[in-house]
Each structure stands twice: as C-alpha cells, then as structure tokens.
C-alpha cells in the first residue's frame, strides 16, 4: 500500500486556516471592539467610530467573497450544512470535525456575517439627531435614516449577544474540552488534519483593495449631508 504524504504526516500540525482568514478575524475583533468603544466614549469620537465601522464593513465584504474564493476550509461549500446536521451535532450524533468549523460554528459564521453587514451597512445611513451622520445620509430621507438608525441601535444588541455566545462557546471548547481552537485560529495549524496548499494571499489582497476602492468611491459620490439639527 502506498503511503501518501497526507497520511505520512497525519499527526503533524497542518495548515488549515489560511492567513487572510486569521487576519480577517483578529482585525474584525479590533474593528468591532473599536466601534463599540468609540460610540460609548462620546460624540467627539465619532470620526473614529466611522473609521472602525468602515473597517468592519470591508471585512464583512471580504469574508463573504472569501466564502467563495478562499482556500478549502474558508469556503462556505466546505462547512455549511443543513439544519439536520446542526441538530445531529447538538445531540452528539456527530463527532467534532478534525478540521474546519463544526456545524454549529458554521451556522454562526453566517449569522455573524449577516449581523455585521446590517450593523455596518445601516451605520452608513444613520444619524444621531445632533450633528453626526453616516456618509450616505444625504441619499435617503430623514424618515428612512431614522428607521435605519433604529435598526443600527437594535442590531448592536444582537451583535453583543452573538459575541457573548461566541465567547462562551469558545470558552467551552477550549476551557472544558481542551480542543485548542484559539491556538489553531492564531497559528492556522491543527494536528491530524489534511492541510491546504496555499493561503491565496495575493487574491485576498486584490479583493480587499477592490472593496476599499469601491467604498471610497461611493463615499466620494455621496451628496454632502447637512446634519445640523439645531
Ligand atoms: C460593526 C460596526 C459598527 C458597530 C458595532 C456600531 C455600533 C454602534 C452603536 C452601539 C451605536 C449606539 C446605538 C445606540 O444609540 O444605542 C452606534 C451609533 C451610531 N453609529 Fe455605529 N456602529 C458600527 C458601524 C457604523 C458605521 C460604518 C457608521 C457610519 C459611517 C456608523 C454610524 C453611526 C451613527 C451616525 C450613530 C449614531 C446613531 C444614534 O445616535 O443612535 N456606525 N453605532
Ligand atoms: C468582537 C468579537 C468577535 C467577533 C465579531 C468574532 C467573530 C468570529 C467569526 C465571524 C468567526 C468565524 C470565522 C470564519 O469566518 O470562518 C469566528 C471564529 C472564531 N473566533 Fe471569533 N470573534 C470575536 C472574538 C473572538 C475572541 C475574543 C476569540 C478568542 C478568545 C475568538 C476566537 C475564535 C475562534 C477560535 C474561532 C474559530 C472557531 C472554530 O474553530 O470553528 N473570537 N469569530
């Protein structure tokens, strides 16, 4: 029987999480924490709130694209399974996969992405009824901006709930079951898994650049908003 390199090095830690996915995650942590911190720090921090929000928006867009164009374990096709798989996994009928997301983690990627896109997307049209507004405020009526601001406020609580659940889940897997997920999401490597050949870094840079340019052009094209409410 021929022993393939994959079998031969079955227990050596193999690269599972590509570097663009890891940079995405830890940058997202900073951008989201920054968005909340700059909101609670006060109105004079609004410019930084906006900047952190733009970073979160670009990151959410990148992750969406990476779900189709990224390496194996980053692709939606490799980890998204139906509700049946999620229920089976929760009932303990499926073991934790040696590589990639488990079915519950996979579903949470989509929920996180939806909530992040809504949060950063609505922020573009939001206003604080004092002096600050997102760059696309001038494109919608005051009533629409107010409705989107309401969604921005409401979804911020959803996002916090998701983050708390995320940290609790990671705490359970790492603290109780000792799966070393944080370490793997930092180094990219997992033992006993079949690795990926390349991180496709150049492609990731092209995608992020395109998203940044598109956002910058849209902001430049938006009408100057008069946001003085007094
Ligand atoms: C993930 C990204 C973001 C997060 C987590 C976030 C979070 C928040 C939070 C917690 C508030 C306060 C809501 C409240 O009053 O209870 C807020 C307000 C606001 N945000 Fe964001 N935000 C994000 C992105 C953005 C972006 C991209 C913009 C626009 C460039 C923006 C513009 C605003 C504005 C204008 C307000 C004031 C609305 C108000 O006072 O109710 N946000 N944001
Ligand atoms: C603002 C806070 C956070 C947000 C919004 C967030 C979001 C996410 C998202 C979207 C994923 C899926 C990654 C993918 O796209 O495939 C993920 C995975 C992960 N996150 Fe976070 N995260 C946050 C904080 C943290 C923190 C503080 C830690 C560690 C202490 C952490 C550890 C992990 C790990 C280990 C995974 C991979 C789980 C697995 O192996 O399936 N996250 N996170």
């Amino acid at each position: 029987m021929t022993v393939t390199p994959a079998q031969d090095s079955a227990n050596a830690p193999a690269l599972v999480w590509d570097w663009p996915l890891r940079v995405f995650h830890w940058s997202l942590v900073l951008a989201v924490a920054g968005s909340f911190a700059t909101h609670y720090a006060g109105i004079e921090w609004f410019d930084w709130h906006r900047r952190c929000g733009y970073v979160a928006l670009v990151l959410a867009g990148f992750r969406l694209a990476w779900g189709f164009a990224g390496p194996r374990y980053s692709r939606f096709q490799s980890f998204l399974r139906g509700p049946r798989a999620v229920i089976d996994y929760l009932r303990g009928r499926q073991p934790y996969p040696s590589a990639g997301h488990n079915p519950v983690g996979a579903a949470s990627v989509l929920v996180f992405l939806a909530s992040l896109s809504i949060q950063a997307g609505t922020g573009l049209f939001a206003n604080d009824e004092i002096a600050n507004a997102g760059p696309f405020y001038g494109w919608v009526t005051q009533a629409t901006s107010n409705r989107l601001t309401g969604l921005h406020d409401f979804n911020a609580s959803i996002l916090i709930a998701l983050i708390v659940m995320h940290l609790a889940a990671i705490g359970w897997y790492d603290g109780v079951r000792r799966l070393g997920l944080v370490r793997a999401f930092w180094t990219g490597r997992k033992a006993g898994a079949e690795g990926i050949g390349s991180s496709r870094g150049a492609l990731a840079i092209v995608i992020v650049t395109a998203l940044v340019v598109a956002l910058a052009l849209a902001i430049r094209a938006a009408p100057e908003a008069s946001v003085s409410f007094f």
Side-chain angles (χ1 to χ4, degrees):
M1 195 180 80
T2 327
V3 176
T4 66
Q7 287 165 334
D8 200 24
S9 58
N11 277 321
L15 186 66
V16 167
W17 301 122
D18 52 272
W19 71 254
L21 185 79
R22 287 176 283 141
V23 170
F24 152 80
H25 180 267
W26 299 111
S27 312
L28 183 68
V29 173
L30 293 180
V32 170
S35 298
F36 279 110
T38 49
H39 168 70
Y40 294 114
I43 199 166
E44 64 277 19
W45 283 88
F46 182 73
D47 277 349
W48 282 101
H49 181 74
R50 204 164 44 191
R51 287 175 192 136
C52 290
Y54 291 157
V55 175
L57 184 66
V58 167
L59 288 171
F62 164 75
R63 184 59 184 102
L64 223 65
W66 210 231
F68 299 98
R72 176 170 164 188
Y73 298 108
S74 290
R75 251 180 279 146
F76 297 136
Q77 198 193 19
S78 78
F79 61 76
L80 285 186
R81 269 148 288 167
R84 182 85 255 153
V86 175
I87 294 166
D88 281 354
Y89 177 77
L90 285 172
R91 288 190 174 161
R93 290 192 199 141
Q94 262 188 40
Y96 198 100
S98 60
H101 294 301
N102 71 50
V104 178
S108 79
V109 175
L110 277 200
V111 177
F112 246 135
L113 275 186
S115 179
L116 282 165
S117 309
I118 290 172
Q119 190 62 22
T122 52
L124 300 176
F125 301 89
N127 74 88
D128 66 359
E129 294 191 333
I130 303 169
N132 294 318
F136 299 168
Y137 171 78
W139 261 331
V140 294
T141 62
Q142 180 65 39
T144 303
S145 172
N146 289 348
R147 268 198 297 276
L148 292 173
T149 304
L151 190 52
H152 193 70
D153 296 353
F154 173 74
N155 187 63
S157 313
I158 306 266
L159 199 49
I160 290 181
L162 290 177
I163 292 168
V164 169
M165 286 193 282
H166 180 58
L167 295 182
I170 299 291
W172 158 258
Y173 285 122
D174 269 18
V176 181
R177 295 188 56 191
R178 307 247 169 240
L179 292 183
L181 300 189
V182 175
R183 192 186 158 82
F185 226 50
W186 186 258
T187 62
R189 293 181 178 272
K190 279 188 179 180
E194 200 182 324
I196 52 170
S198 142
S199 275
R200 302 193 183 173
L203 180 61
I205 292 168
V206 170
I207 294 173
V208 170
T209 308
L211 289 168
V212 170
V213 170
L215 180 62
L217 289 176
I219 291 171
R220 266 185 57 176
E224 191 67 43
S226 161
V227 286
S228 176
F229 290 83
F230 295 102

